[in-house]
Amino acid sequence: MSGNKNHKFRVRGWLLSIFLCSLTLCLWLGNVPKTITPLEFAGVVSAQSPDANQLVQQGLELYQVGNVKAAITIWEKAVNIYQQNHNAAAEVIVRENLARVYQEIGQSEQAIIHWKQVIAYYRQVGNLQQVGRSLTELAQVYNSLGQPLQAIALLCNPDEKNNCSTDSAVLIAQTYKDAIGEAAALGSLGDANRLTGNYDLAIKNLKKSLGIVNKFNISALRVSVLNSLGNAHISQALVKHRQADSAKQSGDDGKKLLDDAQQEDTTALNYLRQSLELASSDNDVAGEMRSHLQIIPIYYRNNATDEAATSLQQAINLLERLPENRRRVYAAIDLVHLLEPITSQAKSFRISCLKPDTLVKATTLLNQAVTIAHRIEDFRAESFALGELGHIYECRQEYSKALEITNQARLAAEQGLKAQDSLYLWEWQTGRILQALGKPDAAISAYERATNTLETIRRDILTANRDIQFDFRDTIEPIYRELVGLRLSWEESRQTANKSLVSQDSKHNLGSILTTMDSLRLAELQNYFGNDCVLISSGQKNIVESPNQTTAFINTIILEDKTAVVLTLPKGQNHVKSISIKRKDFIENINTFRRNLEALRNARIDYDTTIAKQIYDWLIEPFTKELQQFNIKTLVFVQDGILRSVPMAALYDGDKYLIQKYAIATIPSLKLTDIKPLNRQHLQVLALGLSAKTTIDGKEYSPLANVPTEINGVLEEIPGKKLLNDDFTSDRVNQELDKQTYPIIHIATHGEFGAVPEDTFIVTGKNGKLSFQKLEEQIRKVTRNNQLLELLTLTACKTAAGDERSALGLAGVAVQAGAKSALASLWAIQDNSTATIAINFYKKLLNNPNISKAEALQSAQIELITGKIGAGQFTHPVYWSPLILIGNWL
């Protein structure tokens, strides 16, 4: 046994000396051999497999001269010979390096296969230290594929308290006192945490890794951990910048958030400069390049243009020193994106155009990238390089050449495994070029191919990698909107040609518009929540053909030069009207509408209905005839953008508010709405409330004096249990939902819907807060025995005025929480009107089995408008309109 063990490590030592890939280089960095010198190994290697040994050496020589594909072919032959000769110890070393080289050329699937076989071997022979290290390298592959959850499972597989499991890479390294393995595992874990958006945990794990690396003075690993720390703080900075933008939209100057963002940028810059300096002293060209590519955007964001230009030139000079592999291809593409500063007017690299003199530099870089990618047969990298080159010609308006090169990019993407993430971009680019060539039908087909591709990969690119989530508005959302714009133009031209014509083509076209917008709304929700576990189709084939034949649907679509409104009547008849108004002007009108409403909270003044009438004339008045003809009683809105942040109930026709004419509900998406009627049997409520003054993250929340009255009033209508003030904590809610199923959960407390999920929470007792992600996890317990949560009520919550992102969070709250419906407020009111509406809503809903939820809310709101309840003090729409019904309206 001892002799076999020594022989195994002798073979391993020989192969490792040939590959020169010690774990200090390969772990976490994912590096393949940098320089390989042929060695005299006669007499050192095992005599069992001389042919295989020679093949290994030949493969090394081929690898040295850059013929990676040929090297792989020969190493695969060596693996087969080692297998036949039962020389598993030698076989596994070759497999490790095959895995790294496959990863280098972008064949991640092959890398995964080899790593799994390596791990199985080390488990079999009991070498758990190598199991841990190999798990780390496999996790790196999953990170590179944008699958950080898979990586986290291998690296830590944490429990609820973030303690790693015993068979994870981190715990194995700690158990066997493998400091290098632990540093690598923690570094990879930090990278995976960052990709999932858990930045605080990412920084914590990366700092642990850095502490180990510093003790052992492992320079190569230190370069990477410093770079990763820089990336984590960059992600924090981007979140803060987004929050600052959101605050500005809401009327706040956002200065504190902007200061925080700049501080995160400064911290990131500090780490990246350290990484750059260390890489430079070690002559680590790849490490230097990585640092520059992260540093330049920070300089641009903070208007340090001279520093950006210097760093950019240094990076361009370094490019020639990189080996001709996929890393160099992607570095060239990244440099093209950085040739000019990022401006607020052109945030998207993919659709903005460079200046003419810069286009020359970009073309040279991309031609080199295409050549390298083609030579190493990395189809995915070649696809990106060709696609970017095609865009250069699109910018030059050389459309025939642009189309030719873009088609080559599409073919390369189709050849490359898992290259769908580039294919949709080039389908989109094809559509833009065809549109520019005056071929709208062909352009529509190209756009549809792009959206179809997105449908197959949307989950991965929108929920797995928070880096991609930041780019949603630049690289995903425009595809859907531009396709809808093309179809609307087609529809308008037909209507102009023959207004009375209602053809099958028109019916199909309008149906396609609604389907495309519904797909976009699903994508927006996935992008916002960063989690699609709850975004499951209701299974309803055609929601518009609901059991209630007096319900109509109104879809709104906000484009750059117009806003379209599509009315869908019972049995699916569609009618479309377009408002010729610029997006910017339309949004300003909607924001004015909300500001006017909210202003009434602080002053009892007469309500100016002018803007409410204007919006009514845009959205409702064009369909008056159809709504009357079909005796419509309920309007269900599928809102777009900023329209999610305002109450349709307060629209005004010159005589009445819209809620006085129709029951109203809003749904986030046609596909996500369950339209089964309310199950009124055995209803019970868990009523949660907070009336005390509270401070959260330094922000004070005023007392809600009427909450006890609201909670007690709800319990008078529906049996259940209450948790008030200090009893209302996350743990107590968890315990209660563990004990019993509640079809209704009523929450009366301050709540925030922010631009990012991290800013979306409800305030609990004991100065605590409960994120909606955590709330969702708790509420999911209600779904035991396939019993869905019927209704989630959130009073005193608010969205940020003027912020489309925060309104998106509210729009998706029902589906995110796993509820059929949500009754929620768009802003908090410091009076008891919300409590009055909520209590009357429950009373009407439970006392009349024939009334729908939308009709119950309508009736409760009308009683305030008419003064039947409240003695006329709540007639202003500020008091009754912000409470909206989301989701199932039946």
Side-chain angles (χ1 to χ4, degrees):
M1 181 76 70
S2 176
N4 289 339
K5 182 177 180 181
N6 289 335
H7 172 71
K8 176 182 73 177
F9 283 110
R10 226 177 18 248
V11 173
R12 177 178 178 79
W14 162 67
L15 283 170
L16 280 179
S17 69
I18 288 182
F19 281 106
L20 290 182
C21 192
S22 69
L23 283 156
T24 59
L25 294 176
C26 294
L27 273 174
W28 184 22
L29 298 175
N31 283 345
V32 294
K34 290 187 176 182
T35 57
I36 304 171
T37 306
L39 301 176
E40 295 292 332
F41 56 90
V44 179
V45 302
S46 167
Q48 293 178 353
S49 308
D51 293 339
N53 299 337
Q54 292 170 11
L55 288 173
V56 169
Q57 183 65 29
Q58 290 172 23
L60 288 168
E61 293 168 357
L62 288 165
Y63 180 87
Q64 280 184 299
V65 298
N67 197 344
V68 178
K69 283 285 187 178
I72 286 174
T73 300
I74 288 180
W75 284 336
E76 291 281 14
K77 289 180 182 177
V79 165
N80 292 334
I81 294 173
Y82 285 135
Q83 278 184 315
Q84 293 168 11
N85 293 339
H86 305 290
N87 192 344
E91 175 194 336
V92 76
I93 303 304
V94 182
R95 283 195 185 279
E96 286 183 46
N97 286 277
L98 274 169
R100 295 183 186 110
V101 177
Y102 272 123
Q103 177 66 7
E104 181 194 14
I105 65 171
Q107 294 193 23
S108 300
E109 292 77 10
Q110 286 297 316
I112 289 170
I113 290 169
H114 281 289
W115 278 124
K116 287 183 175 179
Q117 290 174 310
V118 168
I119 291 166
Y121 167 79
Y122 285 130
R123 286 194 192 281
Q124 182 181 356
V125 300
N127 189 344
L128 293 184
Q129 178 174 298
Q130 281 302 121
V131 169
R133 292 186 172 197
S134 302
L135 286 170
T136 296
E137 296 222 47
L138 176 57
Q140 292 164 21
V141 181
Y142 283 118
N143 270 342
S144 73
L145 286 172
Q147 298 177 30
L149 295 178
Q150 289 269 44
I152 290 170
L154 296 169
L155 294 162
C156 180
N157 195 20
D159 60 18
E160 291 183 355
K161 296 182 179 179
N162 274 323
N163 296 316
C164 296
S165 64
T166 55
D167 62 345
S168 67
V170 170
L171 255 291
I172 290 172
Q174 291 174 350
T175 301
Y176 287 87
K177 312 294 184 188
D178 179 11
I180 294 173
E182 183 182 0
L186 286 168
S188 293
L189 182 59
D191 284 341
N193 294 143
R194 180 182 65 82
L195 291 172
T196 60
N198 196 340
Y199 306 127
D200 290 336
L201 186 58
I203 292 168
K204 179 180 177 181
N205 283 322
L206 288 167
K207 284 185 174 179
K208 286 181 183 177
S209 178
L210 183 61
I212 298 170
V213 169
N214 286 340
K215 281 183 185 178
F216 288 87
N217 195 26
I218 308 166
S219 180
L221 276 177
R222 192 161 180 255
V223 169
S224 276
V225 73
L226 288 168
N227 190 276
S228 290
L229 275 165
N231 285 341
H233 283 283
I234 286 172
S235 295
Q236 292 271 49
L238 291 174
V239 169
K240 296 296 183 182
H241 279 295
R242 177 179 281 177
Q243 290 169 324
D245 288 342
S246 173
K248 288 176 183 177
Q249 291 180 41
S250 306
D252 189 342
D253 62 10
K255 186 177 184 306
K256 173 66 168 62
L257 289 164
L258 190 58
D259 289 343
D260 290 344
Q262 290 171 340
Q263 182 56 53
E264 291 290 346
D265 273 335
T266 299
T267 303
L269 201 55
N270 180 50
Y271 281 123
L272 291 168
R273 283 172 173 163
Q274 291 181 59
S275 177
L276 177 61
E277 182 179 351
L278 188 58
S280 179
S281 65
D282 287 350
N283 198 29
D284 177 3
V285 179
E288 286 185 80
M289 179 64 79
R290 282 200 309 274
S291 297
H292 278 300
L293 292 175
Q294 296 299 332
I295 285 171
I296 296 167
I298 299 177
Y299 284 144
Y300 283 151
R301 270 200 303 277
N302 293 279
N303 298 315
T305 52
D306 290 343
E307 291 88 342
T310 300
S311 188
L312 177 63
Q313 188 56 56
Q314 290 172 350
I316 291 173
N317 294 340
L318 283 170
L319 190 66
E320 295 299 321
R321 295 171 55 196
L322 282 174
E324 293 191 350
N325 55 23
R326 72 191 307 243
R327 188 179 289 117
R328 179 165 168 177
V329 174
Y330 288 124
I333 294 170
D334 288 339
L335 286 172
V336 168
H337 292 166
L338 296 170
L339 287 175
E340 289 179 1
I342 308 163
T343 68
S344 58
Q345 289 78 27
K347 291 182 179 178
S348 170
F349 286 121
R350 301 205 184 280
I351 59 174
S352 60
C353 287
L354 298 170
K355 295 174 183 175
D357 57 332
T358 312
L359 285 175
V360 176
K361 296 178 186 177
T363 304
T364 301
L365 287 170
L366 290 172
N367 276 321
Q368 292 174 356
V370 169
T371 300
I372 294 169
H374 183 74
R375 188 175 61 76
I376 65 175
E377 297 184 40
D378 187 335
F379 297 117
R380 184 175 184 274
E382 185 178 6
S383 167
F384 276 106
L386 283 166
E388 298 287 355
L389 186 60
H391 177 52
I392 295 292
Y393 284 97
E394 178 190 4
C395 289
R396 290 176 173 173
Q397 298 184 4
E398 297 179 30
Y399 294 123
S400 296
K401 184 70 171 177
L403 195 58
E404 176 189 340
I405 296 175
T406 303
N407 282 335
Q408 292 174 21
R410 289 171 51 209
L411 291 173
E414 289 168 349
Q415 280 183 281
L417 295 172
K418 293 288 184 184
Q420 300 285 78
D421 57 342
S422 66
L423 180 59
Y424 83 91
L425 292 169
W426 317 137
E427 299 285 13
W428 174 27
Q429 190 159 289
T430 300
R432 295 198 308 270
I433 296 168
L434 289 169
Q435 185 180 6
L437 288 169
K439 299 179 179 180
D441 291 344
I444 287 173
S445 296
Y447 271 97
E448 285 185 333
R449 289 195 300 271
T451 57
N452 289 338
T453 300
L454 272 174
E455 292 301 292
T456 65
I457 62 172
R458 188 173 60 206
R459 170 181 175 175
D460 289 339
I461 66 175
L462 291 184
T463 66
N465 188 331
R466 286 299 295 273
D467 286 351
I468 296 173
Q469 286 179 281
F470 285 120
D471 296 331
F472 176 80
R473 289 188 177 182
D474 291 333
T475 59
I476 294 174
E477 182 178 349
I479 303 174
Y480 291 95
R481 294 197 183 277
E482 288 168 19
L483 172 56
V484 167
L486 281 169
R487 286 198 170 279
L488 280 171
S489 295
W490 182 91
E491 190 67 30
E492 287 166 356
S493 66
R494 289 187 68 88
Q495 289 182 1
T496 302
N498 188 339
K499 293 184 179 180
S500 64
L501 180 64
V502 180
S503 67
Q504 282 300 114
D505 286 344
S506 182
K507 182 177 180 181
H508 169 75
N509 190 49
L510 286 173
S512 295
I513 287 171
L514 295 181
T515 300
T516 301
M517 286 304 298
D518 207 51
S519 294
L520 172 59
R521 286 170 182 133
L522 281 170
E524 287 176 319
L525 289 171
Q526 287 174 316
N527 175 247
Y528 179 83
F529 290 111
N531 175 352
D532 79 333
C533 65
V534 298
L535 301 186
I536 301 169
S537 171
S538 65
Q540 182 76 23
K541 289 184 179 179
N542 192 350
I543 190 174
V544 298
E545 295 183 13
S546 64
N548 189 340
Q549 292 302 303
T550 58
T551 299
F553 296 81
I554 293 181
N555 271 268
T556 51
I557 304 165
I558 304 172
L559 302 177
E560 284 302 318
D561 60 344
K562 72 184 79 169
T563 291
V565 188
V566 182
L567 171 71
T568 303
L569 293 163
K571 298 187 180 178
Q573 306 97 319
N574 292 317
H575 301 266
V576 63
K577 299 290 181 183
S578 289
I579 309 154
S580 295
I581 183 172
K582 297 290 185 184
R583 179 178 182 273
K584 180 181 177 182
D585 296 332
F586 183 79
I587 288 174
E588 180 54 37
N589 275 277
I590 301 303
N591 282 335
T592 300
F593 174 49
R594 170 154 170 167
R595 284 194 295 266
N596 287 352
L597 284 173
E598 287 196 274
L600 296 170
R601 288 186 296 175
N602 303 316
R604 292 183 179 277
I605 58 176
D606 290 336
Y607 177 51
D608 183 354
T609 59
T610 303
I611 190 70
K613 176 68 164 59
Q614 174 65 77
I615 298 171
Y616 178 93
D617 289 345
W618 282 338
L619 305 185
I620 309 299
E621 194 277 332
F623 306 110
T624 300
K625 178 181 176 182
E626 289 84 359
L627 294 173
Q628 291 175 347
Q629 179 183 346
F630 282 82
N631 193 29
I632 297 301
K633 296 185 184 212
T634 301
L635 293 179
V636 177
F637 288 87
V638 194
Q639 298 286 43
D640 190 20
I642 199 68
L643 284 166
R644 300 184 184 105
S645 69
V646 292
M648 293 295 100
L651 300 188
Y652 194 68
D653 71 352
D655 181 42
K656 294 180 178 178
Y657 292 108
L658 188 63
I659 194 65
Q660 294 174 281
K661 302 171 69 173
Y662 304 100
I664 296 171
T666 180
I667 59 176
S669 157
L670 295 171
K671 294 177 184 175
L672 295 179
T673 305
D674 184 330
I675 61 168
K676 297 184 184 69
L678 172 68
N679 181 359
R680 301 170 194 254
Q681 299 297 315
H682 312 297
L683 287 179
Q684 283 196 303
V685 63
L686 177 61
L688 313 169
L690 179 69
S691 62
K693 180 180 178 181
T694 308
T695 301
I696 301 293
D697 298 333
K699 178 179 179 180
E700 286 192 359
Y701 290 86
S702 58
L704 296 170
N706 289 295
V707 163
T709 302
E710 178 178 338
I711 295 296
N712 292 331
V714 169
L715 288 170
E716 286 177 8
E717 302 300 329
I718 311 171
K721 181 166 184 174
K722 70 177 177 182
L723 297 176
L724 188 63
N725 292 330
D726 284 354
D727 288 332
F728 173 27
T729 64
S730 177
D731 288 342
R732 285 295 306 275
V733 173
N734 212 25
Q735 293 167 11
E736 198 59 41
L737 292 176
D738 272 336
K739 289 190 296 185
Q740 187 169 341
T741 296
Y742 291 93
I744 298 175
I745 296 178
H746 183 102
I747 305 175
T749 182
H750 291 287
E752 301 275 359
F753 287 87
V756 291
E758 291 86 349
D759 291 340
T760 298
F761 59 88
I762 59 172
V763 179
T764 66
K766 298 183 178 179
N767 292 315
K769 67 178 180 179
L770 181 59
S771 71
F772 272 88
Q773 180 181 359
K774 186 67 176 176
L775 178 64
E776 175 236 317
E777 292 172 4
Q778 295 179 345
I779 287 176
R780 288 282 161 185
K781 296 178 181 181
V782 176
T783 62
R784 287 175 301 201
N785 302 320
N786 295 319
Q787 182 175 352
L788 288 175
L789 178 65
E790 291 284 347
L791 179 65
L792 170 66
T793 298
L794 297 159
T795 62
C797 285
K798 67 173 183 177
T799 60
D803 185 356
E804 297 182 32
R805 291 276 300 178
S806 65
L808 182 64
L810 180 63
V813 67
V815 65
Q816 171 70 1
K820 288 168 65 176
S821 308
L823 185 64
S825 62
L826 287 164
W827 58 78
I829 302 172
Q830 298 298 325
D831 215 319
N832 61 1
S833 60
T834 303
T836 301
I837 294 174
I839 293 168
N840 284 340
F841 165 78
Y842 288 124
K843 182 182 295 185
K844 295 173 187 303
L845 193 63
L846 298 178
N847 291 343
N848 184 348
N850 297 317
I851 197 172
S852 70
K853 282 176 274 194
E855 290 166 339
L857 178 60
Q858 177 193 28
S859 179
Q861 289 175 317
I862 287 175
E863 287 184 349
L864 286 188
I865 296 171
T866 59
K868 183 176 180 181
I869 292 179
Q873 60 179 321
F874 299 133
T875 57
H876 283 305
V878 68
Y879 297 114
W880 48 262
S881 67
L883 207 60
I884 63 172
L885 182 66
I886 305 164
N888 184 310
W889 64 92
L890 297 177

